[in-house]
Amino acid sequence: MTSRNFSHKSAATALFFLLAGGCGDLSEELPKNQTPLGQHGRITNTQESGGAIATQVNATDAMAWVYFQFATGTEVTPQAPQNSTDWDLAVQRFQIKINGGMSGSAGAEATVVEGVTFDGMTQAPQASYITDQPDSADDDPDPDYAFAKLGPWYTYNVMTHLLTPKDQVYVLRSATGTYYKMQMTAYYDKAGSSGYPTFRWKAVTAP
């Protein structure tokens, strides 16, 4: 009687560990995505084909920057953005700044790549990367943000007053040194409201 109970318990225990071990193996096979999908604060992430992420930013507040970190795909709130390495780029309406030069201390740089599609790019180019600089002798009082100096990411229709993203691909070296390809895809939400810039992005191999 005692040995029979012991045998049943031993078999149950073995089965438990077998199933537990099997479940552990299955979980390790599941795809791991650090980027949270859906809406989180002022960031909404959507999974695209090929592993890219589409990120829409609620940048409707003309007085506030929304700070974004590629490594986690999330909004961050650095208390001292100028000295923080927690963010890679920030958006305020149609303006984009990166964490380098006059905007931050993380050394982020960007470039625009001609003659390549977003899906076709797998490696960052050996190109001249630039970062944010103080305002030069130009027609506006804004700093010379890299995304503006590389050529505005949008075209502006003076008749309709609408912004349309240009079909061009950027590469940004982040605060962690990882390279990301990036393409602006929208400035309006589904309702047509402005101040919702959307970009798709994915890590690429370093030059």
Side-chain angles (χ1 to χ4, degrees), residues 8-205:
H8 287 320
K9 290 179 180 179
S10 298
T13 302
L15 180 61
F16 170 80
F17 281 111
L18 177 63
L19 291 176
C23 291
D25 292 340
L26 289 175
S27 66
E28 290 178 0
E29 295 174 1
L30 295 176
K32 296 179 181 179
N33 188 347
Q34 293 183 337
T35 302
L37 302 180
Q39 182 176 351
H40 301 271
R42 292 174 289 183
I43 296 290
T44 302
N45 290 322
T46 305
Q47 184 73 60
E48 289 195 341
S49 60
I53 298 292
T55 296
Q56 182 187 73
V57 184
N58 182 344
T60 53
D61 187 344
M63 303 302 293
W65 288 94
V66 182
Y67 293 88
F68 180 78
Q69 182 186 77
F70 279 111
T72 58
T74 60
E75 177 185 1
V76 293
T77 53
Q79 297 201 354
Q82 193 75 26
N83 301 316
S84 172
T85 59
D86 291 338
W87 63 281
D88 298 307
L89 65 82
V91 182
Q92 183 187 77
R93 298 294 291 178
F94 60 88
Q95 299 272 38
I96 301 174
K97 67 179 180 179
I98 62 178
N99 194 349
M102 66 152 292
S103 297
S105 59
E109 298 178 314
T111 189
V112 64
V113 186
E114 305 289 349
V116 65
T117 64
F118 180 85
D119 291 333
M121 175 180 289
T122 58
Q123 184 175 24
Q126 290 278 6
S128 297
Y129 290 78
I130 67 173
T131 192
D132 293 355
Q133 300 294 338
D135 184 35
S136 59
D138 51 24
D139 296 332
D140 61 66
D142 298 322
D144 289 347
Y145 296 124
F147 270 76
K149 296 300 290 183
L150 290 169
W153 61 265
Y154 59 86
T155 57
Y156 175 68
N157 189 315
V158 295
M159 300 297 293
T160 63
H161 303 292
L162 296 177
L163 301 184
T164 303
K166 293 180 180 178
D167 184 16
Q168 57 191 20
V169 181
Y170 298 90
V171 173
L172 187 145
R173 187 174 69 84
S174 70
T176 62
T178 303
Y179 288 80
Y180 294 89
K181 61 181 178 179
M182 175 181 165
Q183 185 176 43
M184 303 299 299
T185 59
Y187 182 62
Y188 304 90
D189 66 3
K190 292 181 178 179
S193 301
S194 63
Y196 289 88
T198 301
F199 55 92
R200 56 178 178 165
W201 55 276
K202 184 181 179 181
V204 293
T205 305

